[in-house]
Amino acid sequence: MNNKTTSRSKHIDFILLDLICVEASFLLAFLIRLGTNGQKFSDGYALINGLIIIAHAAIVFYTEGYSGILRRGYWKELKSVVTYNIELLAVVLAILFFSKQSADYSRIVMGLFFIINNVFMYIVRIARKNHLCKVNIKTGKLNRMLLLTDYNHASKLIEGLQTYNYSSFFLKGIVILDKDMAGDKISDIPVVANSENMYEYVKEHVIDEVFIGYGSDELGEITDKFLSMGVTVHISVNRIIPKVPNPSLENINDLTVVTTSISFMSFKQKVIKRLIDIIVSIPGIIATGILFVILGPIIYHQSPGPIFFKQERVGKNGRKFKIYKFRSMYMDAEERKKELMEQNKMSGLMFKMDDDPRITPIGKFIRKTSLDEFPQFINIFKGDMSLVGTRPPTVDEFLQYDAHHKSRLAIKPGLTGLWQVSGRSDITDFEEVVRLDNEYIKNFSISYDLKIILKTIGVVFKREGSV
């Protein structure tokens, strides 16, 4: 994907907001000059309006006006807005001139449109960027980055990583590799670990990305270790670059890096995957409401208590969220689990047993038919989960993970996934679950998701255990 295409796809929100500004500015300019004369608008100015929309699309497609929009300051953004409007007006006037229609339209309308659109577009762009910055900080949606470097280069790298206010990440901490400075701060960023305990820190904390700004013979080993944990790794290009999977050259603020990750998903794929999640989750939520009316009284009659089962689970890169299911167990199920651990048929960090006595009669039915999973469409709609992914572990299971187990959390957890449709009832080795999850992550595609969804439907109808 070239830079223009990437810029357009990444900033579709700004493109649409600009189009709204264009339309509003043209309508306001027309009303100021010619009033509410609808006949005059329909006779000719509707054509200009159409030309403006076409010109906007041409500017979006053929120029790089949206490249680096989040990194621009106030002055640079003003210049970008004025440049855009000059290009827009030039395209429209050129078409009218060569079609010999320019004399039929008010120059005052076009002049007012130019002025108003500059003001509207500049205010809206700045407001949108400030809103994104505040929302990302407030909701914690920014990726958490860990910087690995030596003491001498730390301050300069921090300065480069914090150049812009609208970055897609925030620097959570530093690991100084050539000395133990844990507990200190460098440029107000805490030093959270050293070379000996940095893997343990990443295992126990939410870390999405690691930036390596340190060259050594161990660089390849460090990269492989973090990749095995499902963390995205950025390697400064002025260091020795080992052979890494899915490498891509990109900029993180003022610093150029080679990025590698076991999970690669383009912006287009992310948008399509999210749209599928939303489209499918809406009827899923409606079906959940219908099932609530039917199953709710039965669940309550067999075991008085909440109809929905809520439990804290661990999602992408260690994020915690509440998962929803129709309750299929008696209220004391969690307490009784300790008594039944000896009958666990799974080898590893998951619990599964045949004829689990904690399951209610209706619970056995809704598990067999996977009806208990329907409330998870709420999680999918909220964005905590995806339709296809890896199953989210419980907090207790996650706390027992080895470092390489965390790789299965490199993407959002899913309602279904590869291991669930790969003879899940027969898989009793957790390491096999991890292997299948990693296979899905490394080979992700939209068509792969669709295949898994189709397989899931077949598995559910065959009643080969719960998804």
Side-chain angles (χ1 to χ4, degrees):
M1 184 180 291
N2 59 42
N3 290 334
K4 291 182 182 180
T5 303
T6 303
S7 177
R8 290 196 300 273
S9 61
K10 285 173 63 177
H11 303 303
I12 189 68
D13 52 343
F14 285 96
I15 293 171
L16 293 176
L17 286 171
D18 284 356
L19 181 58
I20 293 171
C21 288
V22 166
E23 287 293 279
S25 299
F26 183 74
L27 180 60
L28 183 58
F30 179 87
L31 292 174
I32 291 173
R33 180 68 180 95
L34 301 172
T36 58
N37 192 335
Q39 183 62 40
K40 197 168 185 64
F41 185 90
S42 62
D43 284 346
Y45 285 89
L47 172 63
I48 296 183
N49 186 54
L51 291 176
I52 288 173
I53 294 174
I54 294 172
H56 172 72
I59 292 171
V60 169
F61 189 82
Y62 289 109
T63 71
E64 296 185 31
Y66 295 91
S67 178
I69 190 170
L70 293 178
R71 298 194 297 270
R72 296 181 198 140
Y74 294 107
W75 174 243
K76 286 186 177 180
E77 192 58 64
L78 178 60
K79 291 195 294 182
S80 174
V81 167
V82 173
T83 300
Y84 166 91
N85 279 283
I86 291 173
E87 292 172 343
L88 183 70
L89 195 62
V91 171
V92 173
L93 292 179
I95 294 174
L96 292 175
F97 176 81
F98 287 108
S99 63
K100 299 181 180 180
Q101 298 183 65
S102 57
D104 298 331
Y105 302 102
S106 170
R107 293 179 178 83
I108 295 178
V109 169
M110 301 308 294
L112 284 171
F113 165 69
F114 178 81
I115 295 170
I116 295 170
N117 198 43
N118 271 299
V119 175
F120 276 9
M121 190 173 291
Y122 181 73
I123 292 174
V124 169
R125 284 191 181 184
I126 294 300
R128 174 60 177 165
K129 289 196 284 187
N130 287 335
H131 173 72
L132 285 175
C133 184
K134 291 177 181 178
V135 167
N136 286 337
I137 292 173
K138 184 177 180 180
T139 60
K141 289 184 178 179
L142 294 176
N143 282 352
R144 279 80 159 168
M145 179 180 284
L146 188 67
L147 171 63
L148 270 66
T149 185
D150 58 354
Y151 176 75
N152 292 332
H153 293 91
S155 296
K156 190 171 182 63
L157 286 171
I158 293 170
E159 181 183 354
L161 290 169
Q162 295 186 322
T163 302
Y164 303 109
N165 294 327
Y166 306 110
S167 300
S168 60
F169 67 91
F170 74 88
L171 197 55
K172 184 166 183 178
I174 313 167
V175 175
I176 298 299
L177 298 172
D178 58 345
K179 60 173 65 176
D180 186 2
M181 294 182 60
D184 294 341
K185 286 187 176 182
I186 301 176
S187 301
D188 291 327
I189 305 298
V191 179
V192 296
N194 54 39
S195 59
E196 295 180 3
N197 61 7
M198 60 183 177
Y199 302 118
E200 191 66 18
Y201 178 85
V202 172
K203 173 182 173 293
E204 295 176 355
H205 295 78
V206 176
I207 296 295
D208 302 292
E209 306 172 36
V210 170
F211 186 102
I212 302 178
Y214 180 78
S216 73
D217 295 337
E218 299 174 352
L219 183 58
E221 180 182 343
I222 292 173
T223 301
D224 289 341
K225 187 72 172 179
F226 282 120
L227 288 176
S228 73
M229 299 172 72
V231 177
T232 297
V233 178
H234 306 286
I235 305 169
S236 182
V237 294
N238 61 342
R239 306 299 183 188
I240 300 173
I241 302 175
K243 185 178 180 181
V244 292
N246 298 320
S248 62
L249 188 67
E250 59 183 60
N251 292 325
I252 296 184
N253 293 346
D254 279 340
L255 303 172
T256 302
V257 299
V258 170
T259 299
T260 176
S261 174
I262 64 167
S263 60
F264 176 79
M265 195 181 301
S266 68
F267 181 82
K268 180 179 179 181
Q269 289 175 320
K270 289 179 182 178
V271 170
I272 294 174
K273 186 175 176 68
R274 182 62 183 142
L275 284 175
I276 292 173
D277 286 344
I278 293 172
I279 291 170
V280 174
S281 64
I282 291 173
I285 292 172
I286 295 172
T288 300
I290 296 171
L291 289 171
F292 179 87
V293 174
I294 298 171
L295 298 174
I298 304 174
I299 293 172
Y300 186 83
H301 175 73
Q302 294 186 358
S303 175
I307 307 304
F308 288 118
F309 171 72
K310 292 192 298 182
Q311 185 183 49
E312 191 171 54
R313 294 289 184 99
V314 181
K316 184 178 178 181
N317 289 328
R319 291 171 173 81
K320 295 176 182 178
F321 69 99
K322 294 287 186 181
I323 197 172
Y324 303 101
K325 291 187 177 187
F326 281 119
R327 185 165 59 87
S328 60
M329 290 186 171
Y330 292 103
M331 292 299 295
D332 61 349
E334 286 300 310
E335 290 78 8
R336 295 174 63 187
K337 181 179 177 180
K338 297 177 182 179
E339 304 171 5
L340 301 169
M341 286 302 295
E342 292 183 359
Q343 300 180 54
N344 184 13
K345 61 185 288 187
M346 289 293 292
S347 173
L349 304 178
M350 296 179 74
F351 181 83
K352 183 187 291 186
M353 67 173 290
D354 296 325
D355 299 322
D356 193 331
R358 301 173 301 159
I359 302 176
T360 62
I362 186 63
K364 293 178 181 178
F365 170 75
I366 63 176
R367 283 192 168 203
K368 194 69 175 177
T369 55
S370 295
L371 295 178
D372 63 320
E373 308 281 353
F374 268 79
Q376 287 170 54
F377 284 111
I378 299 172
N379 292 115
I380 294 172
F381 185 80
K382 289 171 60 180
D384 295 326
M385 295 176 61
S386 182
L387 192 60
V388 182
T390 61
R391 291 300 288 162
T394 64
V395 175
D396 289 343
E397 291 169 352
F398 175 71
L399 292 176
Q400 300 178 63
Y401 272 15
D402 292 333
H404 73 280
H405 293 149
K406 196 177 180 182
S407 63
R408 66 187 300 266
L409 303 178
I411 60 171
K412 280 185 183 180
L415 178 64
T416 186
L418 181 59
W419 80 263
Q420 290 97 318
V421 298
S422 301
R424 64 194 185 285
S425 297
D426 300 323
I427 297 176
T428 58
D429 186 354
F430 180 66
E431 294 297 335
E432 178 65 8
V433 172
V434 174
R435 186 192 69 78
L436 288 169
D437 283 340
N438 277 280
E439 182 181 327
Y440 166 73
I441 293 170
K442 293 175 182 178
N443 296 286
F444 166 81
S445 69
I446 298 299
S447 60
Y448 200 11
D449 271 15
L450 294 176
K451 289 179 182 177
I452 291 174
I453 292 171
L454 291 174
K455 283 187 177 181
T456 301
I457 295 171
V459 166
V460 170
F461 276 106
K462 291 177 183 178
R463 297 190 178 184
E464 297 175 356
S466 60
V467 175

